[in-house]
Amino acid sequence: MQRILSTELAGHVDETVTIAGWIHRRRLLKSVAFLIVRDAAGLSQVVVTDPATREQLEQLTEESVVEVTALVTANEQAPRGVELTAPVVKELSRVAVQLPFELHRPTLNAGLPAQLDHAALALRHPSRVANLRIAAAAAKGFRAALEAQRFVEIHTPKIVESATESGANVFKLDYFGRPGYLAQSPQFYKQLMVGVFERVFEVGPVFRAEPSDTARHLAQYTSLDAEMGFITDHRDVMAALTLTLKGMLGEIGILEDAVRSEIPAVHFSEALRIAGAPEDEPDLAPAHERALGEWALREHGSEFLFVTGYPMRKRPFYTHPDPADPTWSNGFDLLFRGLEIVTGGQRLHRYEDYVAALQRHGQPLEPYAGYLDGFRYGMPPHGGWAIGLERFVARLTGVANVRETTAFPRDLHRIAP
Amino acid sequence: MQRILSTELAGHVDETVTIAGWIHRRRLLKSVAFLIVRDAAGLSQVVVTDPATREQLEQLTEESVVEVTALVTANEQAPRGVELTAPVVKELSRVAVQLPFELHRPTLNAGLPAQLDHAALALRHPSRVANLRIAAAAAKGFRAALEAQRFVEIHTPKIVESATESGANVFKLDYFGRPGYLAQSPQFYKQLMVGVFERVFEVGPVFRAEPSDTARHLAQYTSLDAEMGFITDHRDVMAALTLTLKGMLGEIGILEDAVRSEIPAVHFSEALRIAGAPEDEPDLAPAHERALGEWALREHGSEFLFVTGYPMRKRPFYTHPDPADPTWSNGFDLLFRGLEIVTGGQRLHRYEDYVAALQRHGQPLEPYAGYLDGFRYGMPPHGGWAIGLERFVARLTGVANVRETTAFPRDLHRIAP
C-alpha cells in the first residue's frame, strides 16, 4: 500500500492507510498503548489494544523505524483530529541501544557538546529541524530573487594557490606535493565572473581557520555571495540586496514586510554620532551596532539599517573609495536588530587602481597575479555582498550559538562527526 | 539614462537609449567605424561617423568597457534588425595591453592551457559562456525537481576527520594542528540527514586528489547529490532520478523529451550479454558502455539506459545487496549516450549490516564511528545518487575535456587562477 504522510491522514477518515516513520514516543498503559509516529511532515497517534501488537511494541523503543497500516479514526482529542486504530506494525529498523537523550521533549535535555557529538540524533529534534529548514528556505529565496534579477549561478575553486584575502586564519593543505589553501571567500572569482555574466552568485562553503572559540565563529560556513556589474555606485548594490533579502524572508515566511522597498541608510560618520561614539572611531563596536538598531526602530520603524561609507582604512584593499572624499569608502554593512549580517560595497574595477591599492597596503602583486589579470581585460564598475547563512539564521531565530543553525559544525575543537 | 540590454533594442526604434558592455569587435574603415558591443544578453552594432568619436575609439581596443548613448535605427542587415547611430561613447574601463587571444572569432584561437591561464578572458567567449549557463541551468533544474518531490537542501562538512570512503586520493590538511581531509563526497552526511528530513539533496564541491591527468578528471568538481528514505528498493530511487533528470533537461531546454517516464533498465548480467562481454566481468568497460548505448537507442529508441544490479564486490561497502541473490547489488548506473553519468543505489540501513559489511571489507569500525552512530538510532531503507555536474555538461554539449565545462578547473598541475 502506498504510504501517506501524517498531514494527509485527516483526508482519509474511515479508510485503511499506511504511514511510516520513527517512534517518537511510546506510552504503554495498562489496557492500551499509544504510539506517536514522526515523519517528515509531523506526528501521528496510533492506538494499540491488540495484545500481540502490544507485545511487539515492547521491543520497539523510541526512534525505531516502523510502517503502520491502520484505520484512520476521527478523534477530537488527537493531533489534527485523527488517530490510527487497529494497526498492523511492521518494523523497518530497530533501536537496540539506550538513546543518549530523548527527542520527544519540547527542548533537548542535553548540553550542546552532547548534541553535537550525536548530531545524527539531535538534528531530528523539532527545534533543530526548524532551523535547518529556515536555512534551506533562505538559500532558496536567495537564489530565486537573484535569478529574477538576471544573476547567474557560478561554482568557484575552494582550493587556491595563495593565502591572500585576509592573510592569516587560512587552512593549508598538501596539493599534489605543493602548498594549497582553502578559500576564505569566493571574492576574487565572483569579481572575475562579472566579466562573463555581469551578475553572478554563489552559495557555497568558505573556510576560516579561526583560532577563537566563540558562539559566532565556524571553521566552515555557507556564504551567500553576489556580485554585479554596470553599477553607478554601492547604492545599486544595496537596492539589489534589498530585493534579495525580501525574497529570502518571503521564502522563509517571516518578516518579509519588515524589509522596506528602501531600507533606511546612514553614513558611517552619522552612525558614530547616533551611537554616541567618538568621531575618530574606525569601526562600529557591538554596543554601537545595538544603539543603531534601537535608533532605526525608533526613528524609522525598521528592523534593518544600512550603514554606508565605512572608513577606507578598515575595509579590504579592493574597496572602492567615495569619489567625493576618499577617506570614506563605497562600502556598507547591513544591520539587522543591531547586528551586522551582510557586508558589501563597490569594488575597484581598473587595473591601475588595484596596483596602487596593493602598494598602499604594502602588499606584493605577485600572489594576486591571476586575479589582477582579469582587470587588465576590461571590467565594469561593480560591487556585491556576502551573507553568512548560519549567522543570518541565528539572528532570525534568536538561537544563542551559531552551531545550532548548521548540521555538522566545524570549529577549533570539532572535526567530527 | 537607464541602461537597456542589447536584446531590448528592437523595441526602441527611433529612440535614444543607453547600452553598456565590452567592445567585442572594432572595425575602423575609411569613412565609417563599426563597434560591436557585447553585454550579458548579446551583441549590438554601433555605427560611428563623427570624427571626434572615431578618434576616441582609436584608443579603445577590444574588451574595453563602454557605455553608449545613441539613436536606435532600423537596419535589416544589422543583428536583430537594429543598429545604434550617432553615438556618444563613455569609457568605463580601458584595455591597455595586448589580449593573449581574440574573443570575436567563432572558436577561441588558443590552446586549452592558454585559455585556462587567462580564464578571466577566455570564459567571456560565447562557447564557454554557453557551457557555464548549461551548468547553472542543470543545477537549478536539479534543485527545483527535488524540491517538488519534498527533498530539503542541506550543507555538509567539507573537512572530515578520516580518509574513509575510497581511502586513497584524498587531500590532507592541517586542521588546527591535527590532520584533516577534504571530503570526497557528502555520502555519509546525506545518509544521516535522511534520518532528519527523509529526503535531502546537496549541490556542492567534492575533492579528489586524482593523480591521473585525463580529460575526465578534476581535483574539485560539483556534485549533485540526493538521498531518500522509505523506499522499497533501488527502483524508487531510479524513479525519483528520472523525474529529476527530466527537470534538469527541461530547465536547460534540451532533450527533455528524450527522458521517458520510465527509462529502460537492464540487469548487469544481461548488460554483459548485450555488450558481448564475458559473463564473469565484474564491471562494464567503456567499450561495453558504448555498445549498451547503441543497443538502447536501437531497441528502445532511448538515449538513456539504467544498468542495475552491479556485482556487490565492485560497489562500496554501504551498498545494499539484492535480497534475492546477494552476489548482485541494488546499485545502478545511468548511461547517457553510452557513458555513465550517474551512480546510485539502495544503501544498507541497519547498524548490524554496516558492522558486518565493514568486517567483510577488512575495514576497522573506528574511523566510521560518527557515521555508524546514526544507524544505531533508527534509519529507514534508503538510497540515492550522485551526478558530477561537469561530466554531465561535457556529455550534453559534446566538449572533449571536462575542463571546458567549469570556470576555474583544478587538476594535478593546476591550482591557479
Side-chain angles (χ1 to χ4, degrees):
Chain A
M1 188 180 298
Q2 183 74 35
R3 168 203 183 203
I4 67 169
L5 292 173
S6 55
T7 42
E8 299 172 299
L9 287 177
H12 294 269
V13 173
D14 296 333
E15 293 173 33
T16 296
V17 301
T18 296
I19 64 160
W22 288 261
I23 297 184
H24 190 61
R25 181 115 204 233
R26 197 184 50 156
R27 284 165 59 214
L28 303 170
L29 308 181
K30 203 151 198 166
S31 59
V32 64
F34 292 100
L35 208 58
I36 305 296
V37 176
R38 184 186 73 243
D39 63 20
L43 304 174
S44 308
Q45 177 167 303
V46 183
V47 185
V48 179
T49 50
D50 169 56
T53 307
R54 185 200 172 95
E55 202 171 310
Q56 183 189 10
L57 284 191
E58 280 166 4
Q59 306 303 313
L60 290 173
T61 52
E62 269 87 356
E63 294 307 304
S64 293
V65 183
V66 292
E67 196 176 87
V68 178
T69 300
L71 185 68
V72 183
T73 308
N75 176 351
E76 279 182 18
Q77 263 80 62
R80 283 185 301 274
V82 282
E83 62 189 9
L84 290 162
T85 57
V88 175
V89 176
K90 184 178 161 192
E91 170 190 326
L92 296 178
S93 179
R94 183 187 297 205
V95 174
V97 294
Q98 178 92 32
L99 298 182
F101 39 79
E102 293 176 319
L103 288 185
H104 60 77
R105 301 189 186 280
T107 53
L108 270 169
N109 56 353
L112 189 56
Q115 290 183 37
L116 298 177
D117 285 344
H118 301 285
L121 182 67
L123 293 171
R124 300 178 186 178
H125 190 269
S127 63
R128 302 298 304 276
V129 168
N131 288 348
L132 295 178
R133 281 198 188 271
I134 287 173
K140 182 182 177 183
F142 178 79
R143 287 187 296 255
L146 288 169
E147 282 163 356
Q149 296 174 72
R150 291 203 295 115
F151 285 72
V152 178
E153 184 178 21
I154 57 171
H155 302 284
T156 68
K158 304 309 162 200
I159 303 174
V160 294
E161 189 179 29
S162 315
T164 47
E165 202 188 340
S166 54
N169 301 352
V170 68
F171 289 111
K172 187 174 177 180
L173 60 94
D174 173 12
Y175 192 77
F176 299 114
R178 53 183 157 152
Y181 302 90
L182 290 185
Q184 295 180 294
S185 91
Q187 181 64 33
F188 299 165
Y189 293 106
K190 68 177 180 172
Q191 287 187 257
L192 296 180
M193 293 305 286
V194 165
V196 178
F197 289 122
E198 295 187 8
R199 299 179 168 199
V200 296
F201 70 88
E202 180 166 18
V203 174
V206 299
F207 305 91
R208 305 276 166 110
E210 176 61 58
S212 50
D213 189 14
T214 78
R216 284 160 41 103
H217 289 98
L218 294 171
Q220 175 190 323
Y221 68 87
T222 300
S223 186
L224 308 180
D225 271 275
E227 198 75 15
M228 59 193 289
F230 297 101
I231 61 172
T232 301
D233 59 26
H234 58 292
R235 287 168 296 186
D236 290 332
V237 180
M238 287 157 60
L241 168 57
T242 302
L243 272 176
T244 304
L245 198 62
K246 215 171 166 65
M248 292 169 71
L249 293 170
E251 186 64 41
I252 296 168
I254 50 170
L255 276 177
E256 187 181 4
D257 295 337
V259 183
R260 311 290 187 69
S261 57
E262 203 167 329
I263 293 173
V266 292
H267 191 272
F268 183 81
S269 53
E270 172 73 4
L272 286 182
R273 204 192 49 74
I274 292 167
E279 65 177 21
D280 59 348
E281 280 283 314
D283 209 346
L284 296 176
H288 301 147
E289 293 190 349
R290 279 194 298 275
L292 285 161
E294 287 162 21
W295 177 85
L297 199 58
R298 190 172 65 240
E299 295 295 320
H300 295 278
S302 175
E303 309 222 53
F304 295 91
L305 177 71
F306 277 119
V307 178
T308 64
Y310 280 75
M312 277 298 279
R313 61 189 160 121
K314 288 298 284 184
R315 302 295 270 200
F317 72 87
Y318 48 78
T319 305
H320 198 291
D322 179 348
D325 179 353
T327 317
W328 308 114
S329 73
N330 274 357
F332 63 82
D333 278 5
L334 177 64
L335 309 187
F336 172 50
R337 295 177 180 163
L339 191 85
E340 172 256 308
I341 55 162
V342 189
T343 294
Q346 183 180 2
R347 332 296 188 181
L348 301 174
H349 62 279
R350 289 192 181 90
Y351 178 74
E352 55 272 25
D353 292 341
Y354 275 93
V355 172
L358 283 167
Q359 280 169 349
R360 221 169 24 246
H361 280 73
Q363 295 265 1
L365 298 185
E366 198 281 326
Y368 300 90
Y371 171 50
L372 296 182
D373 195 43
F375 295 97
R376 286 182 190 268
Y377 304 137
M379 285 289 279
H382 64 283
W385 70 81
I387 308 173
L389 178 60
E390 293 80 359
R391 278 197 197 180
F392 179 76
V393 173
R395 198 61 186 166
L396 270 185
T397 58
V399 303
N401 197 310
V402 75
R403 289 168 185 77
E404 293 175 61
T405 65
T406 188
F408 303 97
R410 291 288 178 265
D411 63 31
L412 183 57
H413 302 296
R414 182 170 294 277
I415 191 174
Chain B
M1 187 180 299
Q2 182 75 34
R3 168 201 183 204
I4 67 169
L5 292 173
S6 55
T7 42
E8 299 172 299
L9 287 177
H12 294 267
V13 173
D14 296 334
E15 295 173 30
T16 296
V17 301
T18 296
I19 63 159
W22 289 259
I23 298 184
H24 189 63
R25 180 117 203 231
R26 196 184 52 155
R27 283 166 59 215
L28 303 170
L29 306 182
K30 204 151 200 166
S31 59
V32 65
F34 293 99
L35 207 60
I36 306 296
V37 176
R38 184 186 73 243
D39 64 19
L43 304 175
S44 309
Q45 178 167 302
V46 182
V47 186
V48 179
T49 51
D50 169 56
T53 307
R54 184 199 173 95
E55 202 169 309
Q56 183 189 10
L57 283 190
E58 279 166 6
Q59 306 302 315
L60 291 173
T61 52
E62 270 86 358
E63 294 308 304
S64 293
V65 183
V66 293
E67 196 176 87
V68 178
T69 300
L71 185 68
V72 183
T73 308
N75 176 352
E76 278 181 17
Q77 264 80 62
R80 282 186 301 273
V82 282
E83 61 189 11
L84 291 162
T85 57
V88 175
V89 176
K90 182 178 162 193
E91 171 190 325
L92 296 179
S93 179
R94 183 187 297 205
V95 174
V97 294
Q98 179 91 32
L99 298 182
F101 40 78
E102 294 176 317
L103 287 186
H104 60 77
R105 301 189 187 279
T107 53
L108 270 169
N109 56 353
L112 189 55
Q115 290 183 37
L116 298 178
D117 285 345
H118 301 284
L121 182 67
L123 293 171
R124 301 178 185 179
H125 190 268
S127 63
R128 303 297 303 279
V129 168
N131 289 349
L132 295 180
R133 281 199 188 270
I134 287 173
K140 183 182 178 183
F142 179 79
R143 287 187 294 256
L146 288 169
E147 282 163 356
Q149 296 174 73
R150 290 204 295 116
F151 285 72
V152 178
E153 185 178 20
I154 57 171
H155 302 285
T156 68
K158 304 309 162 200
I159 303 174
V160 295
E161 187 179 30
S162 315
T164 47
E165 204 189 338
S166 54
N169 300 354
V170 67
F171 289 111
K172 186 175 177 179
L173 62 93
D174 173 11
Y175 190 78
F176 299 113
R178 55 183 155 152
Y181 303 91
L182 290 185
Q184 295 180 294
S185 92
Q187 181 65 34
F188 300 166
Y189 292 106
K190 68 178 179 171
Q191 287 187 257
L192 296 181
M193 292 306 286
V194 165
V196 178
F197 289 122
E198 295 187 8
R199 298 178 170 200
V200 296
F201 70 89
E202 180 165 19
V203 175
V206 298
F207 305 92
R208 305 277 165 108
E210 177 61 59
S212 50
D213 190 15
T214 78
R216 285 159 41 101
H217 289 99
L218 294 171
Q220 175 190 324
Y221 68 88
T222 300
S223 186
L224 309 180
D225 271 275
E227 199 76 15
M228 59 194 286
F230 297 101
I231 61 172
T232 301
D233 58 27
H234 57 293
R235 287 170 297 186
D236 290 332
V237 179
M238 288 157 59
L241 168 58
T242 301
L243 273 176
T244 305
L245 197 62
K246 213 169 168 66
M248 292 169 70
L249 293 169
E251 186 64 41
I252 297 168
I254 52 170
L255 276 176
E256 187 181 4
D257 296 336
V259 183
R260 312 290 188 69
S261 57
E262 203 166 331
I263 292 174
V266 291
H267 191 270
F268 183 82
S269 54
E270 173 72 4
L272 287 180
R273 203 191 52 72
I274 292 167
E279 66 179 21
D280 58 349
E281 280 284 315
D283 208 347
L284 295 176
H288 301 148
E289 293 190 348
R290 280 195 297 276
L292 285 161
E294 287 162 21
W295 176 84
L297 199 57
R298 191 172 65 241
E299 295 294 321
H300 295 279
S302 175
E303 308 223 54
F304 296 91
L305 178 69
F306 276 121
V307 179
T308 64
Y310 280 74
M312 278 297 280
R313 62 189 160 121
K314 290 297 285 184
R315 303 296 267 202
F317 72 88
Y318 49 77
T319 305
H320 198 291
D322 179 349
D325 179 354
T327 316
W328 308 114
S329 74
N330 275 359
F332 64 82
D333 278 6
L334 177 66
L335 308 187
F336 172 51
R337 295 177 180 163
L339 190 85
E340 172 255 308
I341 54 161
V342 190
T343 295
Q346 183 180 1
R347 331 297 189 182
L348 301 174
H349 61 279
R350 291 191 182 91
Y351 178 74
E352 55 272 25
D353 292 341
Y354 274 93
V355 173
L358 283 167
Q359 280 169 349
R360 222 172 21 246
H361 281 74
Q363 296 264 1
L365 298 186
E366 197 282 328
Y368 300 90
Y371 172 49
L372 296 183
D373 194 43
F375 295 96
R376 286 182 192 266
Y377 304 136
M379 284 289 279
H382 65 282
W385 70 82
I387 307 174
L389 178 60
E390 293 81 359
R391 279 197 196 181
F392 179 76
V393 174
R395 196 62 185 165
L396 270 185
T397 57
V399 304
N401 196 312
V402 75
R403 289 168 186 77
E404 293 175 62
T405 65
T406 188
F408 304 97
R410 290 289 178 266
D411 63 30
L412 182 56
H413 303 296
R414 184 170 291 279
I415 192 175

